[in-house]
Amino acid sequence: MSLLAFAHACEASAIGAYGRRSSLFFPSVEVVHLLGLALLLGSVLAIDLRLLGLAMRRQSVATIVRATTPLLGVGLSLAVASGALLFMTEAVKCYYNAAFWFKLGFLVLAVLTQIALSWRARAIVRPAAVLRGWAALSLLFWFGVAAAGRAIAFI
Amino acid sequence: MSLLELCQRIQDSTVGTALLESQYAWLIVESIHVLSLSVSVGLLAIADLRLIGLFRTDTPVADILAELRPWMLGGFVLMFVSGALLFWSEAATVYVSPWFRLKMVFLAAAGLNALIFEASLGRRLAEWSDRRRPPLAARVAGWTSLACWTAVIAFGRWVAYAHA
């Protein structure tokens, strides 16, 4: 099945059809999406700022990463689950929307970077310059996800 | 002059009209609003969860608040400035929206909650900062903050859908 056929199938599904019929579905799910994003970006910022040495220097990198990663997971799960529902209501529009593909690209980069950072940072006391560079990139990728996501509605 | 007339004047001002009719400025300001609110409310949620006693309980409350405060405040400043600009461009439109009014009510409640916390428990922070489970009043302040900001975000998003 091609991606376009998949998008058509999503829109034609019961959830997609319901989402378009109901006037409450899209805004309600979008609120959950935004709350998930807030948790996600807050956690990402806490981890990356610590890696960059810009905040929370009194605790070790490992402590911050261990404590904050579950919260990041909750935020990401909320955002991805609600995002999938939003996608199903307008999958074909997304397929033809450049911002949507930018968002997915940034999302893949951001998630991979975050996994690698968490993995490396568990055992680290003082982050090396390379790791700080990746922390800065991680912030850039996540803000790219959010900015491109917002742009979907605008282009 | 009624509040509605005042809002209409604000919206019809040069800056308000320029923003609303611009091709990119409004979109950029709106994106900054959403991004900065995600950052500041996300970090605030971390602080609130610590106040409730659900998150990073082995770190003193005072440390978490001191570490996150500059970043939260920075995010809040961006959020308020971008929000004020958005309001400038459609003041009269949102003034009549019940959802916008609800958003303002919960925003005020969140602010009041934070002020009360700072003025009472915040001053005696050293007495309870190390406790894994902060005193009841602090836990209530944490839950109130989470609830108010959730409502602010929800009603804020609703404003965009309701005036059609």
Side-chain angles (χ1 to χ4, degrees), chain A residues 11-145:
Chain A
E11 277 205 16
S13 68
I15 294 177
Y18 175 78
R20 283 189 305 280
R21 216 168 43 241
S22 158
S23 61
L24 288 181
F25 182 88
F26 199 90
S28 318
V29 177
E30 211 179 10
V31 165
V32 177
H33 198 57
L34 211 49
L35 290 172
L37 175 75
L39 263 189
L40 172 68
L41 277 186
S43 316
V44 163
L45 202 65
I47 292 176
D48 288 345
L49 288 178
R50 177 60 191 92
L51 281 169
L52 288 165
L54 291 173
M56 292 169 284
R57 268 176 291 192
R58 279 204 242 167
Q59 279 105 46
S60 74
V61 169
T63 307
I64 300 290
V65 170
R66 253 200 315 270
T68 313
T69 300
L71 206 59
L72 196 159
V74 173
L76 184 61
S77 310
L78 277 177
V80 168
S82 55
L85 287 176
L86 294 175
F87 174 78
M88 292 185 84
T89 67
E90 47 174 31
V92 176
K93 179 196 138 184
C94 288
Y95 178 86
Y96 288 112
N97 189 306
F100 174 77
W101 293 104
F102 269 101
K103 175 177 187 172
L104 278 196
F106 275 125
L107 182 64
V108 171
L109 289 173
V111 169
L112 289 178
T113 310
Q114 209 64 44
I115 291 172
L117 274 180
S118 300
W119 186 264
R120 290 280 296 131
R122 267 163 202 281
I124 273 175
V125 186
R126 271 184 58 100
V130 180
L131 210 58
R132 291 205 297 274
W134 278 103
L137 270 183
S138 149
L139 279 180
L140 192 73
F141 292 153
W142 283 115
F143 277 97
V145 174

Side-chain angles (χ1 to χ4, degrees), chain A residues 24 26-28 30-31 34-35 37-39 41-43 45-46 49 54-56 58-59 64 67-68 71 143 146-147 150 154, chain B residues 26-27 30-31 34-35 37-39 41-43 45-46 49 55-56 58-60 63 67-68 71 149-150 153-154 157-158 161:
Chain A
L24 288 181
F26 199 90
S28 318
E30 211 179 10
V31 165
L34 211 49
L35 290 172
L37 175 75
L39 263 189
L41 277 186
S43 316
L45 202 65
L49 288 178
L54 291 173
M56 292 169 284
R58 279 204 242 167
Q59 279 105 46
I64 300 290
T68 313
L71 206 59
F143 277 97
R150 198 63 276 250
F154 293 146
Chain B
W26 199 89
L27 309 183
E30 211 265 1
S31 299
V34 175
L35 287 182
L37 101 84
S38 300
V39 165
V41 175
L43 290 176
I46 292 180
L49 288 172
F55 185 67
R56 285 180 63 190
D58 45 2
T59 310
D63 284 7
E67 290 154 354
L68 297 182
W71 298 97
W149 281 105
T150 302
I153 290 182
R157 199 64 279 245
W158 225 266
Y161 289 96

